[in-house]
Amino acid sequence: MKTGHDVLELSPVLPVVVVDDAAVAVPLARALVAGGIRAIELTLRTPAGLAAIERVAAEVPEIVVGAGTVVSPEQARQAADAGSAFLVTPGCTDRLLEAVTGTGLPFLPGASTVSEAMRAAERGITALKFFPAEASGGVPYLKALAGPLPHLRFCPTGGISTENAPKYLALSTVGCVGGSWLTPADAIASGDFARIEQLAREAAALR
């Protein structure tokens, strides 16, 4: 992969995953692969995030692992060192954009306003994360944005579910959606990887 556009093409649904135990990430990732999902965004919202990325990168080569919720230059560097293949940020400050660009990894910077999207485009970034998608206006907002900015493509994340995902994926400016419904917290806690595999299979069939 070379650009954020490559990230958008990995899977119709990009699982957004929070783990409290790095050891859980490996069987979880394998369950996603078994269900037909080929990418995973492991967030840095918990202390286990970086170790989880390391484990999946080393032990589950069938899946492309990225780091999500990257909010600082330090995290960008740490995620790259941990073996992350791509980076996802919830927003995009100038300092953070410089840091993620400096890693050499493809990335999806977050944007939720027209000005944020235009600022990214001025830097040559045309693949973005739209976050928080539902709270920011959802499908109607992205349809409106496509008028003045048809060259931008998005991965909407935040409030996406199996019910509304098809409406997003039907938009010409949407490459994939990000969702946490594939890996429910209770399924992770109980080790119900069969359930995660089934949810992954349903998500992989959305496109």
Side-chain angles (χ1 to χ4, degrees), residues 163-189:
E163 288 78 21
N164 63 16
K167 296 178 181 178
Y168 281 96
L169 290 170
L171 300 178
S172 62
T173 55
V174 170
C176 67
V177 297
S180 58
W181 83 86
L182 283 73
T183 55
D186 60 339
I188 295 176

Side-chain angles (χ1 to χ4, degrees), residues 5-180:
H5 287 277
D6 296 322
V7 178
L8 295 179
E9 300 302 324
L10 290 172
S11 174
V13 180
L14 179 61
V16 180
V17 184
V18 181
V19 295
D20 294 307
D21 180 359
V24 172
V26 169
L28 186 155
R30 287 176 176 154
L32 291 173
V33 170
I37 295 295
R38 295 292 180 265
I40 182 173
E41 176 188 329
L42 284 164
T43 72
L44 302 184
R45 299 178 190 177
T46 69
L50 287 172
I53 291 169
E54 288 181 348
R55 292 285 298 271
V56 172
E59 300 179 43
V60 194
E62 304 89 345
I63 201 165
V64 180
V65 59
T69 321
V70 177
V71 298
S72 71
E74 293 74 23
Q75 285 184 327
R77 290 189 290 270
Q78 291 169 345
D81 291 342
S84 181
F86 62 91
L87 306 174
V88 183
T89 74
C92 51
T93 65
D94 290 336
R95 183 167 174 260
L96 184 56
L97 278 177
E98 289 173 4
V100 294
T101 301
T103 67
L105 296 175
F107 61 91
L108 296 175
S112 62
T113 69
V114 177
S115 292
E116 288 172 342
M118 289 177 65
R119 286 181 66 198
E122 285 180 352
R123 287 174 169 255
I125 302 165
T126 55
L128 304 164
K129 171 180 177 173
F130 176 49
F131 175 82
E134 283 289 283
S136 298
V139 169
Y141 185 95
L142 282 178
K143 284 183 177 179
L145 200 63
L149 302 171
H151 59 298
L152 301 185
R153 299 192 75 214
F154 297 90
C155 171
T157 305
I160 311 297
S161 66
T162 186
E163 288 78 21
N164 63 16
K167 296 178 181 178
Y168 281 96
L169 290 170
L171 300 178
S172 62
T173 55
V174 170
C176 67
V177 297
S180 58

